[in-house]
Amino acid sequence: VRYELYYWPTIQGRGEFIRLAFEEAGVPYVDVAREKGADVLTKVLKGSLGGTRPFAPPVLKSGKMVVAQTSAILHWVGPKLGLAPKNDAGRFAVHQHQLTIMDLAAEAHDTHHPISTSLYYEDQKPESKKRSARFVSDRVPKFLGYFEEVLGTRKFLVGSSITYADTSMFQIIEGLRYAFPKAMKRFEKKIPRLLGLHERVVTRPGIAKYLASERRIAMNEDDLFRRYPELDV
Amino acid sequence: VRYELYYWPTIQGRGEFIRLAFEEAGVPYVDVAREKGADVLTKVLKGSLGGTRPFAPPVLKSGKMVVAQTSAILHWVGPKLGLAPKNDAGRFAVHQHQLTIMDLAAEAHDTHHPISTSLYYEDQKPESKKRSARFVSDRVPKFLGYFEEVLGTRKFLVGSSITYADTSMFQIIEGLRYAFPKAMKRFEKKIPRLLGLHERVVTRPGIAKYLASERRIAMNEDDLFRRYPELDV
């Protein structure tokens, strides 16, 4: 089976949740726009892959199957990668967590784009400061407090072995640490169990190898998580 | 099979996408908090239903299966209601559309809460005006333009019969018309095919009966779509 991922080649973004799943699983995938350039995405968004035309990247193609939307892609490919249970209860528990994680990711994105994605950050800085303050004081504790409780004393978020919900939670913590280092330093004492999970994920052979490779794109200020010191209050 | 929906009893919100699917299918469901009061949701959010504790309503319970997150609920129950194909390609196409529709719904919500859901609208009015202007000028055309093209000359968004993506698109148009009547009046000439879809959905027997019933909660300003004339530019 050949897996083709179509996503922006210079950011982690939403595509990173999919990259991490493949890297953890050790299953080969082609990160097409990194090999052929971002122009291929223009064609994909016009429907070049067949199937249902995607609204936005990421898109995963495998044989005739074409899926867009991060959570849908992971729900589809998760069991094939051994990163989600095959029974409905477990598979949907992981899917549900991924959807909640994507809600958090969208809110993290909007800390630097509270008015519109069609404006530059520089055009919405006062609003970004306000949104970031609330994000850090209210939303991060609400989301991560929830996951801290859900994890409890278990090793992974769902069941007894790693799923893509765990690799995605790792990515959320990485992103929040990058974007809000000061705020996270204060907050992290409240999520000891999630930090344990983060440690378990970062030391997985596939993940460790990936993070040390050139395949892992460095975080940057065109990305979903951005480090703007003025927003880290 | 007994289906129990847990959602806020005084708003349409995200739960309405699920209510519409059941109403279209003519499959009975218990809208539990409307019968027992919203207190039941407090217990549900503490994990009273078993399964994976939900982060937020809506939650659907059927036997031992408990699912939260609107898109996950519909993906799970859609085929059982006859509102999604059972094959992977079709089922994921509908799921993908629902996820894009939920992205649009979240952006519609943030027009009146651009800074934080933990603040009142009255505390973020200037920012709401800015976000609404961009939402109406950029985002609605981008999302609905996409769906207008995807629909093409077919009767429904996926395949040849109605799916929950169609009932959800109906709800989006209803919500946008409620929240932004002036802007939508201007814009609607650009989406003749989606308006045709809206007409096909509104005249479905199950939907028509529901909309005429007391089960359909009136739109209001505690809801996801809100009519604030100052935001309808």
Side-chain angles (χ1 to χ4, degrees), chain A residues 53 114 118 127 130 138 146, chain B residues 53 118 127 130 138 146:
Chain A
R53 186 165 72 84
S118 59
E127 297 87 358
K130 286 190 188 181
D138 303 346
Y146 163 80
Chain B
R53 185 163 74 81
S118 60
E127 296 87 356
K130 285 189 188 179
D138 302 347
Y146 163 79

Side-chain angles (χ1 to χ4, degrees), chain B residues 152-203:
Chain B
T153 56
R154 290 174 301 110
K155 285 179 85 171
F156 299 107
L157 281 166
V158 177
S160 55
S161 58
I162 193 167
T163 70
Y164 65 79
D166 301 306
T167 52
S168 293
M169 181 48 63
F170 158 80
Q171 176 67 6
I172 286 288
I173 291 172
E174 289 288 299
L176 290 174
R177 281 179 170 173
Y178 177 78
F180 303 101
K182 286 199 290 183
M184 281 300 282
K185 198 170 180 182
R186 290 196 307 271
F187 177 69
E188 283 190 7
K189 63 176 75 74
K190 295 191 179 164
I191 51 165
R193 290 161 170 176
L194 288 182
L195 297 186
L197 175 65
H198 177 276
E199 184 63 20
R200 280 189 285 284
V201 173
V202 82
T203 53

Side-chain angles (χ1 to χ4, degrees), chain B residues 1-176:
Chain B
V1 191
R2 178 186 161 95
Y3 291 105
E4 295 175 0
L5 173 66
Y6 293 84
Y7 194 67
W8 307 112
T10 56
I11 61 169
Q12 295 186 10
R14 287 173 173 78
E16 196 68 11
F17 298 103
I18 297 158
R19 293 185 183 121
L20 284 167
F22 277 97
E23 298 286 351
E24 161 59 27
V27 171
Y29 65 106
V30 186
D31 205 339
V32 183
R34 295 192 73 184
E35 299 199 352
K36 296 190 178 172
D39 284 355
V40 71
L41 298 177
T42 311
K43 292 173 195 159
V44 166
L45 292 176
K46 286 179 180 164
S48 64
L49 300 179
T52 303
R53 185 163 74 81
F55 180 73
V59 182
L60 186 71
K61 179 173 162 61
S62 173
K64 287 188 177 174
M65 188 74 179
V66 179
V67 193
Q69 281 278 3
T70 309
S71 299
I73 292 169
L74 288 167
H75 186 57
W76 182 72
V77 83
K80 299 177 209 312
L81 299 180
L83 290 175
K86 290 191 174 168
N87 65 80
D88 260 11
R91 192 178 176 199
F92 273 85
V94 181
H95 187 39
Q96 177 182 317
H97 285 328
Q98 183 66 36
L99 286 161
T100 305
I101 285 170
M102 296 314 289
D103 287 345
L104 173 53
E107 293 196 22
H109 171 273
D110 280 8
T111 58
H112 49 80
H113 279 77
I115 301 303
S116 180
T117 55
S118 60
L119 292 171
Y120 291 109
Y121 165 62
E122 286 70 23
D123 297 324
Q124 45 194 318
K125 280 178 78 164
E127 296 87 356
S128 295
K129 280 190 187 179
K130 285 189 188 179
R131 182 149 183 156
S132 294
R134 286 285 168 167
F135 178 71
V136 159
S137 68
D138 302 347
R139 303 302 287 168
V140 170
K142 186 171 166 73
F143 277 103
L144 294 192
Y146 163 79
F147 282 110
E148 178 80 1
E149 277 189 43
V150 164
L151 179 59
T153 56
R154 290 174 301 110
K155 285 179 85 171
F156 299 107
L157 281 166
V158 177
S160 55
S161 58
I162 193 167
T163 70
Y164 65 79
D166 301 306
T167 52
S168 293
M169 181 48 63
F170 158 80
Q171 176 67 6
I172 286 288
I173 291 172
E174 289 288 299
L176 290 174

